[in-house]
Amino acid sequence: MEPYLNTEDRAFREEVVTFLDRAMPEDIKRSFLDMRRHTQEQSMRWHRILAAQGWAAPHWPKEHGGAGWTPIQQYILEVESAMRGAPRVRPFALKMFGPVLIRYGSETQKDRYLDPMMKAEEFWCQGFSEPGAGSDLASLKTRAERTNHGYKINGSKTWTTMGHHADFMFALVRTDPGAAKRQAGISMVIIDMKAPGVTVRPIVTIDGDHHVNEVFLDNVEIPAENLVGEENAGWSIAKFLLQNERVSIANVGLSKAQFALLKRLAARPDQDGQTRIDDPVLARRFADLDTDLLALEVTNLRMLTALQGGADPGVLSSYLKLRGTEIQQRIAELAMDLAGPDGLRWQQDTAPPEDLYGLNLWLYSRAFTIFGGSSEIMKNIIAKQIMGATSA
């Protein structure tokens, strides 16, 4: 990171480090060092600590309650927070839908939703994927029919991350089923998750945890003012949102923090004074991963530097998502090997520290290259934009 920081950025990083060392709750830091998942309560508590500091939405403009930081400053906070064990602030509201409202939302929507979103008073989820409409999102079937007062919504969403905690969902729905192009008949709307007709059912993933859900929408009524932007313009809004999501999914800061933790574990001597990093095969894997993670960070910083100059992230957001999630999977695989036989044990409260970075994380990491756009879709996007290729 250092070569990309000017004098002002280095001074800013010192300010960030001072705040983090002072404000980080011990139980939150301990969860990370003990290789445990942060709980929803810990994540929301940390969100509120950042909000009190004015740092919860560093990328939002100041006129909407954000910090108005540069992309490099935002990245400094992300990396330094992760390296000190902070939970990742849930991206759905602040990183994904908040910028959408700022660009496309009405003044009424901004006044109603942005402040509670920033202060973690209301929690949001994303309603994009459906049964049969995941990577091919344009084939979604959830309908929103006009009524005298707004829209009546029928359909379902799936893989809805943290939907069981959400107060609101931002969703893509089909408002014009007769549109000549599938993308042209889609709108983005806000759905109250407590509205009559909304049913949330858990999906327990292969790692044994409850991250995602099915959401059923049966004659759900929403007011007309819950339409975001113009009717049938949801596809363009979604493309803007997905650029932010894919950069976020690359998750460079967390990968750096996890990798540093694994290096410390590998350097810990056993009862014979030997360390696992002494194994030349394992040492080479560490070296290869270290090199690739550094290349990912440099690419990320190149993009952030371009963004500071007003450039569009373009294809780099897809590339970062592709490579970032592949590296996250490799970290999980290396952790599984480091854990050895302990890695095969299912995580319990009394399990050894390595358990979280053993079987549970390895199983969950299989999804990293699927959600937010599968690796195959990312490769198609990259090929089309860089080489002018067209998918079959």
Side-chain angles (χ1 to χ4, degrees):
M1 185 195 304
E2 194 68 26
Y4 286 82
L5 303 185
N6 57 32
T7 301
E8 182 180 342
D9 290 333
R10 291 188 182 95
F12 174 79
R13 183 166 65 177
E14 291 303 315
E15 178 187 354
V16 168
V17 168
T18 299
F19 164 74
L20 292 172
D21 289 343
R22 170 179 57 82
M24 181 74 63
E26 186 61 30
D27 69 298
I28 290 179
K29 185 195 313 185
R30 195 72 253 163
S31 289
F32 175 74
L33 293 176
D34 288 345
M35 306 184 88
R36 306 283 185 219
R37 288 194 184 102
H38 290 111
T39 66
Q40 174 74 357
E41 184 279 329
Q42 287 175 323
S43 178
M44 298 305 287
R45 179 159 36 107
W46 180 242
H47 182 152
R48 295 185 184 102
I49 291 171
L50 290 175
Q53 179 72 7
W55 291 3
H59 54 302
W60 290 11
K62 291 182 179 179
E63 60 265 31
H64 294 296
W69 289 352
T70 67
I72 294 291
Q73 289 174 325
Q74 298 165 35
Y75 183 69
I76 289 171
L77 177 64
E78 175 192 339
V79 171
E80 298 298 342
S81 297
M83 295 298 289
R84 284 159 181 77
R88 186 173 177 231
V89 174
R90 303 294 186 186
F92 309 109
L94 295 179
K95 288 191 175 182
M96 295 164 63
F97 192 56
V100 164
L101 281 183
I102 289 170
R103 176 174 288 199
Y104 297 100
S106 66
E107 292 305 313
T108 300
Q109 289 171 342
K110 294 173 188 176
D111 291 342
R112 166 61 186 86
Y113 297 113
L114 288 179
D115 191 60
M117 183 184 293
M118 184 180 60
K119 294 178 180 176
E121 295 172 353
E122 294 172 343
F123 190 73
W124 289 74
C125 65
Q126 177 185 28
F128 280 19
S129 295
E130 299 181 3
S135 295
D136 183 18
L137 193 54
S139 64
L140 64 88
K141 293 182 171 55
T142 295
R143 287 282 305 276
E145 299 177 279
R146 272 283 192 178
T147 67
N148 292 334
H149 304 289
Y151 296 91
K152 180 185 293 184
I153 300 176
N154 282 281
S156 63
K157 298 293 179 179
T158 193
W159 312 120
T160 309
T161 304
M162 295 295 166
H164 52 302
H165 294 298
D167 301 293
F168 296 97
M169 170 193 285
F170 56 93
L172 292 178
V173 295
R174 189 163 298 284
T175 42
D176 183 3
K181 289 183 63 176
R182 296 179 303 168
Q183 294 89 337
I186 293 172
S187 299
M188 184 174 288
V189 297
I190 297 168
I191 299 173
D192 186 340
M193 294 294 284
K194 299 178 180 62
V198 177
T199 303
V200 180
R201 295 180 185 170
I203 299 175
V204 177
T205 47
I206 195 171
D207 63 331
D209 210 339
H210 177 197
H211 311 276
V212 294
N213 306 270
E214 295 177 287
V215 178
F216 298 92
L217 306 164
D218 299 308
N219 294 320
V220 177
E221 300 272 0
I222 66 169
E225 56 264 30
N226 280 24
L227 174 70
V228 180
E230 297 180 3
E231 188 172 280
N232 299 323
W235 191 255
S236 296
I237 299 173
K239 287 195 293 184
F240 168 78
L241 182 149
L242 286 170
Q243 283 187 339
N244 293 322
E245 180 189 19
R246 285 166 183 165
V247 172
S248 175
I249 288 174
N251 219 352
V252 179
L254 181 58
S255 291
K256 284 177 57 116
Q258 290 179 334
F259 186 61
L261 198 54
L262 290 185
K263 284 195 286 189
R264 289 201 293 272
L265 282 174
R268 189 172 59 190
D270 60 21
Q271 60 184 2
D272 298 321
Q274 300 296 311
T275 66
R276 283 172 283 188
I277 201 67
D278 291 332
D279 180 344
V281 174
L282 196 58
R284 178 171 179 174
R285 289 179 61 189
F286 268 100
D288 288 344
L289 191 50
D290 204 2
T291 302
D292 289 345
L293 186 52
L294 177 60
L296 181 72
E297 181 176 36
V298 170
T299 303
N300 193 52
L301 286 165
R302 282 176 47 215
M303 185 196 70
L304 296 177
T305 302
L307 286 174
Q308 266 183 208
D312 188 284
V315 72
L316 275 180
S317 64
S318 297
Y319 176 79
L320 286 167
K321 194 277 176 184
L322 173 66
R323 291 295 290 154
T325 51
E326 289 175 346
I327 286 173
Q328 288 175 64
Q329 287 184 337
R330 287 167 59 192
I331 289 173
E333 290 162 3
L334 181 57
M336 183 76 162
D337 290 343
L338 280 176
D342 285 337
L344 297 175
R345 303 198 316 194
W346 202 250
Q347 181 197 357
Q348 303 292 337
D349 291 340
T350 57
E354 292 91 339
D355 273 16
L356 175 54
Y357 279 17
L359 183 60
N360 296 80
L361 177 64
W362 183 86
L363 288 169
Y364 184 53
S365 73
R366 300 303 91 195
F368 293 168
T369 50
I370 299 174
F371 55 54
S374 70
S375 291
E376 291 76 14
I377 294 296
M378 296 302 100
K379 289 175 182 178
N380 281 343
I381 292 171
I382 293 167
K384 183 177 181 180
Q385 294 194 31
I386 293 181
M387 298 183 291
T390 57
S391 57

